[in-house]
Amino acid sequence: MRPDHFSGGQEYDLMSGMTVTNDVIQRYGGEDFKDPIVAPLRAIRAFYMFLFMDLYGDTPLMNRKLSEGEVLDRSPRAEVAKYIESELL
């Protein structure tokens, strides 16, 4: 991290937030599980995704736990925005 760089670790923090949230969602049975904790977790992940999209534009859709060494391609900003909206509805 460079002290004169604007983001100063924000990318790492946002990706970590999405990763941890995906891990907890998976522990509670995944996206479709009806445990009351899953809906707020999906909203938290959507918030991280919104911040990431707002800062960087086209971003990867980190909507699941990634396997070791897996790399996601960026998705267009409009697609990410639609996904965030669907998560909140």
Side-chain angles (χ1 to χ4, degrees):
M1 177 172 72
R2 295 182 352 220
D4 62 336
H5 192 264
F6 164 72
S7 66
Q10 289 175 339
E11 180 180 5
Y12 175 79
D13 292 340
L14 294 171
M15 294 290 264
S16 294
M18 286 185 276
T19 300
V20 168
T21 307
N22 284 333
D23 186 42
V24 175
I25 289 171
Q26 185 175 343
R27 285 186 205 174
Y28 278 95
E31 303 284 329
D32 298 325
F33 194 65
K34 301 302 179 199
D35 192 303
I37 192 67
V38 174
L41 289 168
R42 289 173 70 177
I44 292 167
R45 179 180 61 196
F47 181 65
Y48 281 124
M49 212 173 282
F50 169 78
L51 293 175
F52 199 87
M53 178 191 71
D54 192 42
L55 286 170
Y56 301 105
D58 295 351
T59 62
L61 275 174
M62 288 193 55
N63 57 359
R64 60 185 164 73
K65 188 175 178 181
L66 303 178
S67 57
E68 182 81 25
E70 182 179 5
V71 176
L72 294 175
D73 291 330
R74 287 197 222 180
S75 297
R77 187 178 187 138
E79 184 180 326
V80 176
K82 283 183 183 181
Y83 178 79
I84 292 168
E85 179 184 27
S86 72
E87 284 294 278
L88 298 175
L89 295 176

